[in-house]
Amino acid sequence: MSRIKKILKWSLIVTLVLIVSIVSFGYWFINLLPKPEISKEELQATLPTDLPYLTENVIEPRGKILAVVTSVGVMGSSGKSTGYELTELSRAYYVFKANGFEVDIASTKGGLPPVVIDGDDMKEFDYAFLNDSIAQGKVRNSIAISTVNPDDYAAIYFVGGKGAMFDFPDNEHIQALLKDYYQSGKVIGAVCHGPAALINVKLDNGRPLLENKTVSAFTNEEELFLIKDAKEIFPFLLQDKLIEQGAKFDEGYLYLEQLSIDKHLITGQNPWSVWALAEAMIAQIGYTPKPRQKSAEENSVSVLITYESKGFDAAKVEIGKACKQNPRSIDRELIAVHSLVATMQLNLGKSFDLIQLLRYSNEYL
């Protein structure tokens, strides 16, 4: 009996030590993140007129681009809510606007579509979109895809969001639009789950649009990391289905920017690909994208890609160059999140490296 008591006693001590250690590490880790430059309240109050990218060197009208979002608000029979990803619409919307294009918003059913707003991902362009009465009017009264005239637009852009997995692939109006746009050489863009729109589209020759096309989209690894039972919830995994229909799937690093350009078909892997994708669409239409100061999030994504492709030292040099110009040009929270993801994957070496990069960036503050 005394032996059992000793075992229980030491088990309790070890458990308490682990709890204290985890709490202490968490406190230390959180303190690595500097206080934001502006308050959350100020950020949430951002207006389109506060963004120099939109208000300076205004470009004359060049035409219209159609952005398409999902009308599905629940993931199948799971009961989990979904919709289109606000950041994937807002950032592309303003790139198109800044480059002289009016943007219409359509959905599979028309009217007010369901939206996913992740407060941790929201930045000034996203809050400006929420405070933009014109943009919000277009969202509330989105055009039913069945009524869209393809001749009205220079390009079409399919916004991501997990709901797209349920209503994009079998929509006959989407299929007709995509066949028309692809065969006429108009620019097609799609990001994250948006490439689900490309599934089941057949050209006049009877072949799948996706056949032998290089594409990127939300990967199996990204999907299953976030939703362990994704195979049961979704009708298919997007990467698998794209490959099944003949696509050459171009997979980038986990939760980092990845863009595929196959002539006038432009696809992006995830939300971190939106800026590059929207600007690539402008270039493919035939215009040089308007100069834009890259966001701290984009700079951090670049650093993380450099770390993955070239190693720690190269990533450290890139951080130094960015922070010498502006100490706030790095999104430290994003680097911290990737460190936590590495820990969850039991890649402790990577996690430690990213913490070291985070600490190094703080030397410039």
Side-chain angles (χ1 to χ4, degrees):
M1 194 71 176
S2 60
R3 186 183 176 192
I4 293 174
K5 287 182 178 179
K6 286 181 180 179
I7 291 173
L8 290 173
K9 176 183 176 182
W10 281 107
S11 295
L12 179 61
I13 291 172
V14 169
T15 301
L16 289 173
V17 169
L18 283 172
I19 291 172
V20 171
S21 298
I22 290 170
V23 171
S24 299
F25 175 79
Y27 180 76
W28 172 80
F29 190 80
I30 289 171
N31 281 329
L32 285 176
L33 304 177
K35 291 182 179 179
E37 200 167 13
I38 64 172
S39 69
K40 191 71 172 178
E41 291 73 22
E42 290 177 292
L43 188 62
Q44 290 173 341
T46 304
L47 297 171
T49 51
D50 297 325
L51 305 172
Y53 178 55
L54 300 179
T55 59
E56 297 176 0
N57 303 315
V58 176
I59 294 173
E60 292 297 315
R62 290 170 168 170
K64 297 171 72 175
I65 293 175
L66 183 68
V68 184
V69 302
T70 180
S71 291
V72 171
V74 178
M75 289 186 243
S77 59
S78 70
K80 296 179 180 179
S81 63
T82 186
Y84 73 88
E85 293 283 344
L86 183 129
T87 60
E88 295 178 24
L89 175 59
S90 57
R91 298 174 188 189
Y93 180 91
Y94 284 131
V95 168
F96 299 151
K97 290 279 289 181
N99 281 278
F101 288 91
E102 188 62 38
V103 185
D104 283 345
I105 299 171
S107 62
T108 52
K109 291 183 178 179
L112 180 63
V115 62
V116 174
I117 300 177
D118 188 335
D120 292 332
D121 294 334
M122 297 284 286
K123 300 294 188 292
E124 60 267 29
F125 279 84
D126 311 308
Y127 284 115
F129 186 80
L130 288 180
N131 296 325
D132 186 331
S133 60
I134 295 175
Q136 290 306 302
K138 291 183 177 185
V139 169
R140 287 192 301 271
N141 301 285
S142 72
I143 304 164
I145 198 71
S146 60
T147 67
V148 168
N149 181 354
D151 296 332
D152 289 345
Y153 304 98
I156 190 168
Y157 167 62
F158 290 91
V159 179
K162 299 183 188 302
M165 296 284 282
F166 298 93
D167 63 349
F168 279 8
D170 296 313
N171 188 289
E172 61 181 353
H173 304 291
I174 286 177
Q175 292 169 6
L177 280 171
L178 281 171
K179 182 175 79 166
D180 180 289
Y181 274 54
Y182 187 81
Q183 293 183 160
S184 62
K186 286 187 176 182
V187 174
I188 298 167
V191 74
C192 200
H193 291 88
L198 304 169
I199 292 168
N200 299 328
V201 179
K202 289 192 175 181
L203 305 177
D204 284 341
N205 61 10
R207 307 304 303 171
L209 184 155
L210 282 165
E211 190 172 62
N212 295 319
K213 305 300 186 307
T214 300
V215 299
S216 295
F218 210 58
T219 67
N220 289 355
E221 183 182 12
E222 289 170 328
E223 198 79 87
L224 293 167
F225 185 84
L226 290 176
I227 305 177
K228 300 301 181 186
D229 56 347
K231 291 181 180 179
E232 288 71 49
I233 290 176
F234 296 112
F236 49 80
L237 292 181
L238 185 52
Q239 178 178 348
D240 288 346
K241 183 61 74 172
L242 294 170
I243 293 171
E244 179 186 307
Q245 296 209 348
K248 300 173 183 176
F249 195 83
D250 191 11
E251 183 173 356
Y253 298 112
L254 187 74
Y255 303 129
L256 295 176
E257 178 188 308
Q258 175 66 19
L259 198 64
S260 291
I261 303 175
D262 194 317
K263 297 179 181 176
H264 54 288
L265 176 63
I266 304 172
T267 49
Q269 181 169 310
N270 48 41
W272 295 273
S273 310
V274 172
W275 292 112
L277 184 143
E279 291 178 335
M281 288 180 65
I282 296 299
Q284 189 63 41
I285 292 171
Y287 298 99
T288 300
K290 182 179 178 179
R292 176 180 59 83
Q293 182 176 351
K294 289 199 171 183
S295 66
E297 179 184 77
E298 289 176 278
N299 290 333
S300 291
V301 166
S302 178
V303 166
L304 290 165
I305 291 174
T306 297
Y307 171 80
E308 295 285 3
S309 59
K310 299 179 181 178
F312 177 86
D313 290 339
K316 186 175 179 180
V317 168
E318 187 170 340
I319 283 179
K321 287 180 179 178
C323 288
K324 282 176 184 176
Q325 293 182 353
N326 178 3
R328 294 280 181 172
S329 65
I330 293 294
D331 186 336
R332 292 160 174 84
E333 187 174 338
L334 184 60
I335 295 175
V337 168
H338 276 262
S339 174
L340 291 174
V341 169
T343 300
M344 293 170 69
Q345 295 176 314
L346 301 181
N347 190 343
L348 301 184
K350 177 180 175 180
S351 180
F352 178 76
D353 280 350
L354 296 184
I355 289 173
Q356 292 302 104
L357 289 175
L358 187 60
R359 293 181 66 186
Y360 176 66
S361 73
N362 286 343
E363 293 178 12
Y364 289 89
L365 291 172

